[in-house]
Amino acid sequence: MSKQSVTRADFDKVMVPNYNPQQMVPVRGRGSRIWDQEDNEYIDFAGGIAVTSLGHSHPALVNTLKEQADKLWHLSNIFTNEPALRLATKLCEATFADKVFFCNSGTEANEAAFKLARKYSYDNVGPQKHEIISFEQSFHGRSLFTVSVGGQKKYREGFEPVPAGITHLPYNDIEALKNAISARTCAVVLELIQGEGGVINADPAFVKAARALCDEHNALLIFDEVQTGAGRTGTFFAYEQYGVIPDILTSAKSLGGGFPIGAMLTTDKCAVSLNFGTHGSTYGGNPLACAVAEVVVDEINKPEVLCAISAKNQLFVEGLAAINAKYNIFQDTRGLGLLIGVELVEQWQGKAALFMAAAREQGLMILIAGPKVLRFAPSLIIEDEDIKQGLAKLDAAIAQVLAEKS
Ligand SMILES: *Cc1c(COP(=O)(O)O)cnc(C)c1O
């Protein structure tokens, strides 16, 4: 039986309209290159939204997935498995953590983190200590709890009533946090770089103050490193660069290199509150996912690879500055490592999607982070030559938009 032929037009026929994908269908990828149904080639600066950390079809990942596929796919949590035990050991060795909970996405990792924070305070103090403090523009996922903790109202609208006991404060505002935190606070959660919110770096002083205030009020500090983790910022986790240790950290995206996995990392002290039967996931710790993520960790968590990420950041920053010298279109460049954002000048704010579409026409995949920021989150081992060629395509895309719309 032959496969039915499908095109982008079928999306609008058979898919729920919560997405509006670009007008082509990618069919294969290799490294930082992708090809569509018409065999057009693209350079990938999007990385599947900061996910394909070793590029497409990395031989070590492909081989591992095939080998594991021949051995064992799934068991459920009635049994443990070797890849999960090895991956958890490596994550604990590489971080502050003593214990790991596996799941299938960033949302699920955060759901587990928020539930653990509530349960920990419930166990140690009482049910009144349940308030979660988070920050405006933050993004923590799309389940009802994570969308409620997230600081973007548009993702909650129409889905109310949402879980209670959540406060949103201005990001990087130490005074606001000082005023809001109390004996009722069970956790403060933040992204070290707000990814979806516009690639906004946390101030080191703010992160340090958050740690001190959490200690003072007996609240847990949660870092959502779903986007910044697993090498993305040039250290294995971004918290290493801030010199601040959380109580709970969440990881997903780059951790699986494209295979769905999420992880919540925590200390022995907190972990006891997720005691037997309190939380779970049918697929969490799946052998296929853990086998792949183990290779991602092995490949990324080495000094030469992490150092090269900072050098690649430099190539991007210099190339973007050269583009800006020509067109005067960016007013700010932010991020760390290979999570980079440029904010458009006032005249083009609200039109970031135009640049994403023009880039695609020029053979380049990029991301946006809200309506005024272009975002780049490529493979962590993207070739320097691909960065240069991609930036040339970005230059052409910007020229195209300016010519058509000015
Ligand atoms: C993407 C993202 C999430 C959600 O991850 P999913 O895998 O889409 O559920 C949560 N937090 C941050 C910071 C993210 O960037």
Side-chain angles (χ1 to χ4, degrees):
M1 199 177 85
S2 71
K3 284 185 187 166
Q4 196 177 341
S5 73
V6 286
T7 67
R8 169 62 180 81
D10 290 306
F11 184 92
D12 300 329
K13 275 190 230 151
V14 296
M15 302 284 226
V16 166
N18 63 320
Y19 305 120
N20 180 22
Q22 297 281 307
Q23 294 300 324
M24 52 79 160
V25 180
V27 291
R28 65 198 165 86
R30 185 126 211 119
S32 286
R33 307 260 165 167
I34 291 224
W35 292 269
D36 69 13
Q37 288 179 315
E38 271 76 55
D39 217 30
N40 298 309
E41 186 182 275
Y42 303 84
I43 292 178
D44 185 6
F45 280 2
I49 317 191
V51 166
T52 44
S53 46
L54 293 174
H56 302 279
S57 307
H58 188 286
L61 296 188
V62 172
N63 288 338
T64 298
L65 187 59
K66 285 179 177 167
E67 275 171 26
Q68 188 59 44
D70 278 333
K71 282 192 207 155
L72 190 63
W73 285 30
H74 176 80
L75 288 160
S76 90
N77 299 297
I78 298 168
F79 305 93
T80 189
N81 65 79
E82 292 179 349
L85 294 169
R86 283 199 305 264
L87 176 61
T89 303
K90 285 180 180 176
L91 289 172
C92 289
E93 279 169 4
T95 67
F96 73 97
D98 309 309
K99 293 280 194 291
V100 178
F101 169 79
F102 287 124
C103 49
N104 313 289
S105 68
T107 297
E108 288 178 42
N110 284 328
E111 186 83 20
F114 304 155
K115 282 182 71 177
L116 170 56
R118 285 234 170 125
K119 182 68 165 36
Y120 176 84
S121 287
Y122 178 93
D123 289 348
N124 290 286
V125 182
Q128 74 284 3
K129 191 173 177 64
H130 67 257
E131 289 178 3
I132 296 174
I133 292 178
S134 113
F135 299 94
E136 288 163 12
Q137 302 106 233
S138 68
F139 183 79
H140 299 298
R142 298 293 203 118
S143 70
L144 200 54
F145 196 3
T146 55
V147 99
S148 307
V149 173
Q152 302 191 43
K153 221 174 163 187
K154 63 176 188 223
Y155 293 143
R156 289 196 293 276
E157 255 161 25
F159 297 107
E160 297 94 345
V162 297
I166 299 161
T167 307
H168 300 98
L169 303 178
Y171 189 58
N172 280 331
D173 187 335
I174 297 174
E175 278 310 303
L177 181 56
K178 247 185 213 158
N179 293 334
I181 197 167
S182 77
R184 300 175 63 86
T185 307
C186 74
V188 174
V189 53
L190 60 95
E191 296 161 87
L192 292 170
I193 299 173
Q194 288 189 328
E196 302 303 309
V199 191
I200 303 168
N201 300 48
D203 291 338
F206 172 69
V207 179
K208 289 194 172 77
R211 177 71 274 176
L213 288 164
C214 282
D215 290 342
E216 193 181 316
H217 295 273
N218 189 23
L220 301 181
L221 181 60
I222 305 173
F223 289 162
D224 177 348
E225 290 228 38
V226 169
Q227 190 150 162
T228 55
R232 179 62 46 193
T233 66
T235 46
F236 190 51
F237 283 102
Y239 78 85
E240 299 165 43
Q241 294 179 60
Y242 283 87
V244 175
I245 309 280
D247 300 289
I248 302 174
L249 178 147
T250 54
S251 179
K253 290 203 167 106
S254 294
L255 179 63
F259 203 97
I261 186 167
M264 180 194 68
L265 281 57
T266 189
T267 59
D268 280 327
K269 187 176 128 202
C270 296
V272 290
S273 283
L274 275 194
N275 52 322
F276 181 70
T278 50
H279 191 57
S281 158
T282 296
Y283 291 119
N286 172 285
L288 291 171
C290 291
V292 170
E294 184 191 1
V295 177
V296 172
V297 171
D298 288 344
E299 292 288 323
I300 285 171
N301 193 21
K302 25 188 197 195
E304 64 274 24
V305 173
L306 294 171
C307 283
I309 291 168
S310 302
K312 291 177 196 302
N313 170 286
Q314 226 19 61
L315 267 185
F316 264 97
V317 169
E318 284 162 18
L320 291 165
I323 290 173
N324 204 30
K326 267 167 92 175
Y327 304 108
N328 195 18
I329 189 140
F330 310 136
Q331 64 179 24
D332 198 13
T333 304
R334 299 188 291 256
L336 275 173
L338 286 172
L339 176 58
I340 298 164
V342 283
E343 184 170 321
L344 296 167
V345 294
E346 195 120 349
Q347 184 198 348
W348 292 99
Q349 293 195 355
K351 306 215 168 77
L354 279 182
F355 294 90
M356 183 165 66
R360 189 246 311 149
E361 284 172 36
Q362 295 291 339
L364 174 70
M365 295 169 157
I366 66 169
L367 299 167
I368 59 179
K372 59 180 185 183
V373 173
L374 309 184
R375 175 173 41 152
F376 313 102
S379 158
L380 301 178
I381 56 166
I382 184 172
E383 302 281 343
D384 292 354
E385 190 52 36
D386 287 337
I387 297 177
K388 286 179 198 152
Q389 288 183 28
L391 286 167
K393 289 175 187 290
L394 182 66
D395 185 318
I398 289 169
Q400 181 190 327
V401 174
L402 295 186
E404 283 169 5
K405 303 282 176 179
S406 282

